[in-house]
Amino acid sequence: MKVLLFNGSPRKNGCTFTALSQVAATLNAEGIETEIVWLGNGPVRDCIGCGGCAGKGKCVFTDDSVNEWIDKAAGADGFVFGSPVYYAHPDGRILCIMDRLFYAGGSSFAQKPAAVVVSARRAGTTASLDALLKHLTIAQMPVVSSTYWNMVHGSNPDQVMQDGEGLQTMRNLALNMAWLLKCIKAGESAGINKPKTEKKVYTNFIR
């Protein structure tokens, strides 16, 4: 079993990475393979709603790594999406990327356990969690929780490492993720398969 952890911070080894590393270390101790994927800090396209990805499982824009990450996601069993908090919302880069990941490659994420973690100096964390969690729920992903909201606080990694409650929240999140992944695997071995949901109905005329 493998969990992909997406680091949506422009700082590769900053506060968000510190939080994700706590999750990854605990997952590893539970026998779960992990990979932290840094989304980088260069230019990235946002989704323009062109519909070109329909039926392809790929984004039509190929000048960045989004399609590579979709391929990685197809082979993963669970996910953690991490972001810093800017102006009480997630980093714009991870929002753009997640829009494209889920529009173009939604089948690679559907019905797999996932969580969101955020890092902040002080506030804006719950609003940021809310924005990112919506990607998970529309993809039918079991949302993994912890013993507090999935957040850490600090202006730099050293301060995050002093946030004992936040670090504990990351570790407990990982324990819950590992437990759920093992339960799903046991269920599949017992013949319990993922539900086949109804074909989507669009009621666009309702305002």
Side-chain angles (χ1 to χ4, degrees), residues 4 57-58 65-76 101 108-109:
L4 286 182
K58 302 286 185 182
S65 299
V66 166
N67 287 328
E68 174 188 335
W69 297 327
I70 289 173
D71 290 339
K72 277 183 176 289
L101 288 175
S108 295
F109 297 93

Side-chain angles (χ1 to χ4, degrees), residues 22 81 93 98 121 128 131:
Q22 288 284 311
F81 298 90
R93 182 183 182 82
M98 287 181 70
R121 183 191 68 83
S128 297

Side-chain angles (χ1 to χ4, degrees), residues 113-116 136 142-146 150 172-174 176-177 180:
V116 171
L136 313 189
V143 177
V144 183
S145 58
S146 186
N150 300 336
N172 286 335
L173 165 63
N176 287 337
M177 172 73 80
L180 185 54

Side-chain angles (χ1 to χ4, degrees), residues 110-190:
Q111 297 173 323
K112 297 178 181 179
V116 171
V117 304
V118 296
S119 65
R121 183 191 68 83
R122 186 173 180 87
T125 46
T126 53
S128 297
L129 287 171
D130 177 69
L132 294 173
L133 282 167
K134 289 182 171 66
H135 291 82
L136 313 189
T137 56
I138 203 169
Q140 309 173 72
M141 303 175 82
V143 177
V144 183
S145 58
S146 186
T147 44
Y148 194 72
W149 294 292
N150 300 336
M151 61 182 73
V152 295
H153 290 85
S155 295
N156 56 60
D158 288 339
Q159 290 180 1
V160 170
M161 291 303 295
Q162 297 176 49
D163 180 11
E165 184 176 8
L167 298 179
Q168 182 185 64
T169 300
M170 296 301 109
R171 294 191 296 270
N172 286 335
L173 165 63
L175 291 173
N176 287 337
M177 172 73 80
W179 169 73
L180 185 54
L181 287 170
K182 292 172 184 178
C183 286
I184 290 172
K185 185 176 182 180
E188 290 174 346
S189 298

